Amino acid sequence: MQYELNDDQKLLQEMVRRMAKDKVAPGAIERDEKEEFPWDMVKLLGENGIFGIDFPNEFGGSEAGMLAFCLAVEELSKADASVGVLPLIQELGSLPILYAGSKKLKEKYLPSIVSGESLIAFALTETVGGSDVAGFKTKAVREGNYYILNGNKIFISNAGVADFVTVYAVTDPEKGAYKGASLFVVEKDFPGFKVGKKEKKMGLRASDTREVIFEDCKIPKENLIGEEGQGFSITMKVLDVTRVGVGAQALGVAAGAFEYAKEYAKERIVFGKPIIKHEGIGFKLADMAIQIEAARQLGYKAACEVGKTPKDMTRLTKEQVLLASMSKTFASDVAMKVTTDAVQVLGGYGYIKEYPVEKMMRDAKITQIYEGTNEIQRLIIMNNI
Ligand SMILES: Cc1cc2nc3c(=O)[nH]c(=O)nc-3n(C[C@H](O)[C@H](O)[C@H](O)COP(=O)(O)OP(=O)(O)OC[C@H]3O[C@@H](n4cnc5c(N)ncnc54)[C@H](O)[C@@H]3O)c2cc1C
């Protein structure tokens, strides 16, 4: 089995598990209530090398691979999905630079992202509909040594806290938002860059989600990632890879809810015995365990296979694309089902904010929506089987 964990992966898993239990879980409910971005968690992850797990040594990463990265995301998300998402967004924003950026761009931006000293966001979605880039309107026009960027992006994770934002914009209107699109690195201090108000969300509430506005935003031409017209292919490669990480986040949320519900069911006595001994509850927990283990095996397999793709513009094979979409879809559907059942296992307490499972149920939902909704994943799977 290619996805059996080696000693290094087991050590990393154990280290992150302990860190998540001791330092991430205790503040999870408070972070959710306050909806404050977790800067202390950014520092913690940076100091422990989490952002660099799957990055090359030359930029400060540890080259431990994609499975190791997913193990870390899973453990963090068991404790708090709003912390598990931090390394996911760092990857989403920076992989375009790693895969297709010039040497100068890589050297300028990647080291501080890998260390966690800087944060980056990825701005793709527009109001016309995130699932279909064809209607995207954000435009970049070349003027001498600069591009002038105009347009709006919505629902951008980390937009209000990021130092840099990778932006998808149309550079050739005649070719349209697929073939005529390009990617740029925009720094928050570039003139004409603004962020809108913070969105109030159902879950993932400690994560910062905002609109991004570009008004004659002036970008040096060197900040074009790759070549003009490569924006769509770079973005698709990146999303095919990063959605395996979203699957790991979903798996973590499911596993965290299951662990809590299982322990609760062993302690809670109703009709003279622990509720886990009542088949209605015991079978529910058994089904949760089955689904989580299946999601884990699919997720680890996907991480191993997708992790083999070179860190450049080499396209994923059909098998890798399928595994990425399947693992994200399956794990996120499992997360939604398992967290809902965990609330049921706790009865009335499951509905109360003092207990962690109601938050987990709210957090689980986003994993079915972002980085390509599960309907879009099923379309991808349908077209590749
Ligand atoms: C908390 C949060 C964080 C996010 N972070 C980011 C980020 O960092 N960067 C970024 O660029 N975006 C981000 N997004 C946006 C997210 O990726 C989009 O919301 C998502 O891709 C769906 O786009 P949409 O909301 O416009 O839905 P739509 O595209 O309007 O879709 C609406 C519904 O129709 C379904 N649908 C659409 N087309 C089809 C079809 N052909 N067949 C069947 N069903 C279909 C969808 O699955 C969905 O259920 C974030 C969103 C949220 C809520």
Side-chain angles (χ1 to χ4, degrees), residues 89 92 122-126 129-132 154-157 201 204 209 366 369-373 375-376 379:
I89 303 301
L92 185 62
F122 185 72
L124 174 68
T125 306
E126 299 192 12
S131 306
D132 180 10
I154 55 164
F155 303 151
I156 306 308
S157 300
K201 306 194 294 289
L204 217 66
T209 313
I366 190 60
I369 296 171
Y370 61 15
E371 292 197 33
T373 65
E375 288 78 16
I376 295 301
L379 270 181

Side-chain angles (χ1 to χ4, degrees), residues 23-278:
K23 300 194 171 143
V24 180
I29 292 177
E30 194 182 337
R31 282 191 292 272
D32 177 70
E33 297 254 300
K34 289 191 172 162
E35 297 179 76
E36 277 172 9
F37 185 75
W39 285 108
D40 55 338
M41 294 292 117
V42 173
K43 189 163 177 279
L44 179 72
L45 302 198
E47 284 169 354
N48 284 279
I50 304 296
F51 297 123
I53 290 175
D54 194 19
F55 271 85
N57 293 149
E58 64 175 307
F59 304 116
S62 54
E63 290 189 13
M66 192 164 177
L67 178 55
F69 177 75
C70 287
L71 292 171
V73 171
E74 177 188 343
E75 293 304 325
L76 294 171
S77 304
K78 278 184 192 171
D80 188 354
S82 286
V83 176
V85 77
L86 294 170
L88 294 180
I89 303 301
Q90 286 290 78
E91 286 232 320
L92 185 62
S94 63
L95 287 186
I97 305 173
L98 182 66
Y99 291 165
S102 64
K103 190 165 178 285
K104 214 167 146 194
L105 277 188
K106 289 181 192 178
E107 283 168 357
K108 182 169 181 194
Y109 293 111
L110 293 181
S112 69
I113 293 167
V114 166
S115 68
E117 285 158 78
S118 304
L119 293 179
I120 188 162
F122 185 72
L124 174 68
T125 306
E126 299 192 12
T127 49
V128 288
S131 306
D132 180 10
V133 304
F136 285 7
K137 305 239 173 332
T138 298
K139 249 190 245 153
V141 178
R142 177 83 183 260
E143 281 185 14
N145 287 333
Y146 293 89
Y147 283 90
I148 307 298
L149 191 60
N150 277 289
N152 291 31
K153 300 284 180 179
I154 55 164
F155 303 151
I156 306 308
S157 300
N158 283 4
V161 292
D163 302 277
F164 321 122
V165 182
T166 298
V167 182
Y168 189 94
V170 177
T171 39
D172 185 344
E174 273 179 25
K175 289 189 179 157
Y178 286 114
K179 291 194 171 159
S182 307
L183 287 174
F184 298 89
V185 189
V186 177
E187 297 185 16
K188 69 172 185 203
D189 297 329
F190 283 176
F193 173 82
K194 281 190 220 156
V195 293
K197 73 167 176 37
K198 190 168 158 179
E199 300 290 354
K200 291 190 83 68
K201 306 194 294 289
M202 171 196 285
L204 217 66
R205 283 155 53 103
S207 178
D208 183 282
T209 313
R210 293 175 196 253
E211 185 181 6
V212 179
I213 305 133
F214 305 100
E215 280 175 1
D216 290 330
C217 180
K218 211 170 161 188
I219 310 163
K221 70 174 182 354
E222 294 76 25
N223 280 32
L224 169 70
I225 302 176
E227 291 165 18
E228 274 195 26
Q230 273 193 321
F232 184 72
S233 51
I234 300 170
T235 301
M236 288 305 114
K237 159 100 188 201
V238 168
L239 290 176
D240 280 341
V241 169
T242 56
R243 66 177 52 112
V244 180
V246 175
Q249 183 191 29
L251 171 63
V253 175
F258 169 69
E259 280 303 318
Y260 196 90
K262 182 185 71 179
E263 294 309 317
Y264 182 89
K266 286 180 185 170
E267 301 286 323
R268 175 75 169 166
I269 311 287
V270 176
F271 291 105
K273 56 183 178 183
I275 55 172
I276 197 168
K277 298 291 177 199
H278 294 289

